[in-house]
């Protein structure tokens, strides 16, 4: 179905589970695609040490990622542009144009944007006060050996906490989880783990001591003030959308609702909403997006 007016049938921006699924599905129905990814394929999957919510018997993120990457690289209809990022996306009546950091302009009838999200920092929240310029690592970066026998202050109750605990079932680590009321529903899966101490807070002021030690003054949801200390601090406060500049309509929360986009721009994966950020939903939405393009292109060809 390729048209010589275009560089390819489909431009896919983002090489995570959603983007890879889109490329694989596109190839299965005979569409050529160009997949643009600034890092490695499935880079975040390689950082997940344990899985419990995907089909196929995969025990870890790297195991699933290796399978996805191997299958995609065997797909001749997908051209990979790794180490590149999109500096501008433009959507017109008859095509989309993606400008990459080399200055090249790539054109196609449609694009699927699956750039996902990146970790929030303390400066991005209203309930944390931290030193200017402080950058903290997300909890998934904590190695078991580094965490052994230590107390870690975890800011936020997002679900990577459960992943860390499942991946390190015998690690003698104490997690002090400080979280706002909006995160209360997220901590149910870790509530029974004896290694976790919960600190529901209205506000937290973080201080960095000598070495890696940290301390925090908290104002609890009961208005009681407490001081806690830990060997290190990590983040689990959620993510922010990482959409490329240009022809995308963003909501007040920064996410790109699929129904608000230009007809030639299809959004897939975590970029759609904070509510459905799961590996399985990313894979499904990427596949569905590719089929959407396939059927839309057939309708256009029929009408002409």
């Amino acid at each position: 179905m390729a048209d010589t007016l275009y560089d390819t049938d489909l431009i896919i921006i983002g090489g995570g589970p959603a983007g890879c699924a889109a490329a694989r599905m596109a190839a299965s129905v005979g569409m050529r695609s160009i997949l643009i990814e600034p890092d490695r394929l499935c880079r975040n999957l390689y950082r997940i040490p344990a899985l419990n919510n995907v089909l196929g018997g995969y025990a870890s993120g790297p195991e699933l990622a290796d399978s996805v990457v191997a299958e995609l690289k065997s797909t001749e209809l997908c051209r990979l542009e790794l180490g590149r990022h999109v500096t501008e996306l433009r959507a017109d009546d008859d095509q989309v144009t993606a400008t990459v950091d080399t200055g090249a302009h790539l054109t196609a009838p449609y694009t699927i944007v699956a750039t996902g999200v990146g970790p929030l920092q303390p400066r991005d929240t209203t309930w944390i006060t931290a030193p200017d310029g402080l950058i903290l690592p997300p909890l998934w970066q904590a190695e078991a050996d580094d965490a052994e026998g230590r107390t870690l202050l975890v800011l936020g109750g997002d679900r990577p906490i459960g992943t860390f605990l499942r991946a390190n079932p015998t690690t003698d680590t104490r997690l002090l989880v400080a979280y706002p009321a909006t995160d209360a529903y997220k901590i149910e899966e870790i509530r029974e783990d004896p290694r976790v101490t919960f600190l529901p807070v209205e506000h937290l002021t973080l201080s960095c001591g000598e070495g890696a030690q940290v301390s925090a003054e908290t104002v609890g949801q009961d208005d009681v003030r407490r001081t806690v200390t830990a060997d290190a601090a990590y983040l689990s406060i959620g993510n922010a959308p990482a959409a490329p500049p240009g022809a995308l309509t963003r909501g007040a929360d920064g996410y790109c609702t699929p129904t608000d986009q230009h007809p030639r721009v299809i959004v897939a994966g975590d970029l759609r909403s904070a509510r459905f950020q799961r590996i399985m939903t990313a894979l499904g939405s990427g596949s569905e997006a590719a089929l959407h393009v396939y059927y839309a292109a057939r309708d256009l060809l029929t009408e002409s």
Side-chain angles (χ1 to χ4, degrees):
M1 58 177 287
D3 191 314
T4 56
L5 295 176
Y6 307 115
D7 293 305
T8 188
D9 299 320
L10 173 63
I11 295 171
I12 301 169
I13 307 174
C20 289
R24 187 66 189 88
M25 180 61 73
S28 74
V29 291
M31 288 192 296
R32 298 179 306 155
S33 66
I34 298 175
L35 188 154
I36 306 166
E37 165 57 46
D39 203 312
R40 66 192 297 193
L41 294 175
C42 294
R43 66 187 185 279
N44 287 334
L45 271 183
Y46 282 105
R47 299 164 178 166
I48 301 176
L51 297 177
N52 73 335
N53 59 355
V54 298
L55 298 173
Y58 298 101
S60 70
E63 186 180 345
L64 174 58
D66 284 343
S67 176
V68 171
V69 170
E71 185 161 350
L72 190 60
K73 286 186 174 180
S74 70
T75 302
E76 295 181 357
L77 291 178
C78 178
R79 171 180 140 198
L80 297 176
E81 290 286 340
L82 303 181
R84 301 268 69 91
H85 67 271
V86 173
T87 59
E88 184 185 22
L89 177 64
R90 188 171 71 248
D92 302 316
D93 289 341
D94 57 349
Q95 69 177 32
V96 293
T97 304
T99 303
V100 297
D101 52 335
T102 61
H105 304 287
L106 301 173
T107 60
Y110 294 90
T111 184
I112 293 174
V113 184
T115 46
V117 296
L120 291 168
Q121 288 292 327
R123 64 176 178 270
D124 301 313
T125 73
T126 59
W127 62 276
I128 300 174
T129 298
D132 290 342
L134 178 67
I135 302 295
L136 293 176
L139 182 61
W140 52 256
Q141 288 187 357
E143 299 289 345
D145 291 344
D146 295 335
E148 180 65 36
R150 305 178 78 203
T151 297
L152 307 182
L153 175 63
V154 182
L155 304 182
D158 219 34
R159 291 186 175 88
I161 300 173
T163 300
F164 174 84
L165 293 169
R166 288 191 300 273
N168 304 289
T170 61
T171 300
D172 181 19
T173 302
R174 183 186 181 204
L175 299 185
L176 305 179
V177 178
Y179 64 95
T182 52
D183 279 5
Y185 74 97
K186 299 178 181 179
I187 63 172
E188 292 304 317
E189 66 175 292
I190 61 172
R191 189 172 292 281
E192 302 302 321
D193 196 302
R195 295 171 291 176
V196 179
T197 298
F198 296 100
L199 302 172
V201 301
E202 290 289 341
H203 195 80
L204 178 147
T205 302
L206 186 67
S207 302
C208 298
E210 295 183 3
Q213 278 211 327
V214 296
S215 63
E217 299 288 335
T218 68
V219 179
Q221 294 169 12
D222 53 6
D223 289 330
V224 175
R225 294 180 178 270
R226 299 179 178 86
T227 299
V228 296
T229 60
D231 297 305
Y234 289 88
L235 295 175
S236 192
I237 57 178
N239 299 291
L248 280 166
T249 301
R250 298 163 176 79
D253 58 1
Y255 285 91
C256 302
T257 304
T259 54
D260 293 340
Q261 308 308 316
H262 188 282
R264 295 188 178 276
V265 177
I266 296 88
V267 177
D270 292 355
L271 188 60
R272 298 170 301 160
S273 167
R275 298 184 65 184
F276 305 107
Q277 293 182 359
R278 297 288 191 278
I279 296 167
M280 289 289 285
T281 56
L283 291 167
S285 73
S287 300
E288 183 178 345
L291 288 176
H292 176 96
V293 170
Y294 175 71
Y295 293 130
R298 286 173 63 89
D299 289 341
L300 289 174
L301 290 172
T302 300
E303 292 173 2
S304 62

